[in-house]
Amino acid sequence: MRFPEPLFSSSQRLLNLWHKERIEKLVREDLRDLSRLPELSRIEMLISLLPERAARPLGFNSLREDLETSYGTVKRWIDYLRELYYHFELKPWSRYISRSLKKESKLYLWDWSEIKDPGRKFENICACHLLKACHYWTDTGEGAFELFYLRTKEKKEIDFLITRDGRPWLPIECKKSETAASPNFPSFARALALPILVQLVDRPRYLKKKNIEGRTLWVWSAAQFFRHTP
């Protein structure tokens, strides 16, 4: 999600101040009015921990330990922040996938400029654009589109899976600069029986067609790929 003030200013100093003011308003005004929670300073601490966990499975136990509170409390705080559009979560797709994760969601921020790691920031940007496309296609009657991720208990992962009308439609991997095909594509492609795969890279005007066990893999510049989505 692009926020106009820091985007148009192109100033790191203004962005830093805007982040600080936004978090203060989110916690001290919006969250206070929504929840009547007394632990606002601890929720600010939670918010400070989330950017480094973006584009990763959301580990409630780890957050519980860091914040020295209960699992239920952390989950409730996370739910409140999601309602206030601080972040969104993607669930794992488990049908047809042997030993898939079934419950652990991945966390993404609506304001990806808070994320410092370049690779995870790139994945977060792609997640926002893909989710927007799924909502648009659904709202305009193309079908029921949803966004998931793929991950097994052995930690094999593909970043995204778009489903259409409840069936797998397009798996998408994000790599900041790596153009070699993800080694995880073959097993997931076989399980899902999908003929087309996409790997998005942060390279301008890049497009290569590759063959993965008889399936077509497009390694594609993310900037150009998203010109073809809503």
Side-chain angles (χ1 to χ4, degrees), residues 54 82 103 134 139 203 211:
R82 184 176 59 250
K103 295 183 179 179
C134 288
D139 292 344
R203 292 193 177 192
N211 184 284

Side-chain angles (χ1 to χ4, degrees), residues 154-192:
E154 290 76 28
K155 298 184 179 180
K156 291 184 177 181
E157 181 175 329
I158 296 295
D159 293 323
F160 305 109
L161 174 69
I162 297 177
T163 65
R164 182 176 187 176
D165 299 326
R167 299 182 64 84
W169 187 61
L170 183 65
I172 300 174
E173 176 74 350
C174 294
K175 296 291 186 183
K176 176 68 176 171
S177 57
E178 180 58 62
T179 58
S182 167
N184 296 328
F185 266 132
S187 59
F188 283 115
R190 287 193 298 271
L192 299 173

Side-chain angles (χ1 to χ4, degrees), residues 91-113:
K91 296 184 180 300
W93 175 267
S94 57
R95 289 168 59 190
Y96 320 125
I97 305 298
S98 176
R99 294 183 56 77
S100 169
L101 294 185
K102 291 181 169 37
K103 295 183 179 179
E104 195 168 34
S105 298
K106 281 181 77 173
L107 174 84
Y108 295 97
L109 305 186
W110 285 114
D111 176 15
W112 59 68
S113 64

Side-chain angles (χ1 to χ4, degrees), residues 56-189:
R56 291 179 177 173
L58 182 54
F60 285 107
N61 283 323
S62 174
L63 288 170
R64 175 187 61 78
E65 293 171 359
D66 290 342
L67 296 167
E68 298 181 344
T69 190
S70 70
Y71 179 98
T73 297
V74 172
K75 188 175 186 308
R76 187 170 70 253
W77 292 349
I78 289 288
D79 290 343
Y80 282 135
L81 292 175
R82 184 176 59 250
E83 289 181 36
L84 293 171
Y85 294 95
Y86 178 73
H87 73 282
F88 62 93
E89 299 160 35
L90 298 183
K91 296 184 180 300
W93 175 267
S94 57
R95 289 168 59 190
Y96 320 125
I97 305 298
S98 176
R99 294 183 56 77
S100 169
L101 294 185
K102 291 181 169 37
K103 295 183 179 179
E104 195 168 34
S105 298
K106 281 181 77 173
L107 174 84
Y108 295 97
L109 305 186
W110 285 114
D111 176 15
W112 59 68
S113 64
E114 292 187 52
I115 304 168
K116 304 303 181 187
D117 181 83
R120 289 191 287 114
K121 179 183 286 188
F122 175 65
E123 182 182 333
N124 199 126
I125 291 170
C126 291
C128 290
H129 284 295
L130 291 170
L131 186 61
K132 179 183 69 172
C134 288
H135 289 169
Y136 178 86
W137 291 326
T138 299
D139 292 344
T140 54
E142 296 291 334
F145 288 83
E146 295 184 86
L147 188 62
F148 296 87
Y149 78 101
L150 297 165
R151 185 179 174 93
T152 68
K153 293 176 181 177
E154 290 76 28
K155 298 184 179 180
K156 291 184 177 181
E157 181 175 329
I158 296 295
D159 293 323
F160 305 109
L161 174 69
I162 297 177
T163 65
R164 182 176 187 176
D165 299 326
R167 299 182 64 84
W169 187 61
L170 183 65
I172 300 174
E173 176 74 350
C174 294
K175 296 291 186 183
K176 176 68 176 171
S177 57
E178 180 58 62
T179 58
S182 167
N184 296 328
F185 266 132
S187 59
F188 283 115

Side-chain angles (χ1 to χ4, degrees), residues 4-18:
E5 299 91 339
L7 177 65
F8 294 145
S9 72
S10 300
S11 166
Q12 183 64 46
R13 179 173 173 273
L14 189 146
L15 177 62
N16 293 339
L17 293 172
W18 185 86

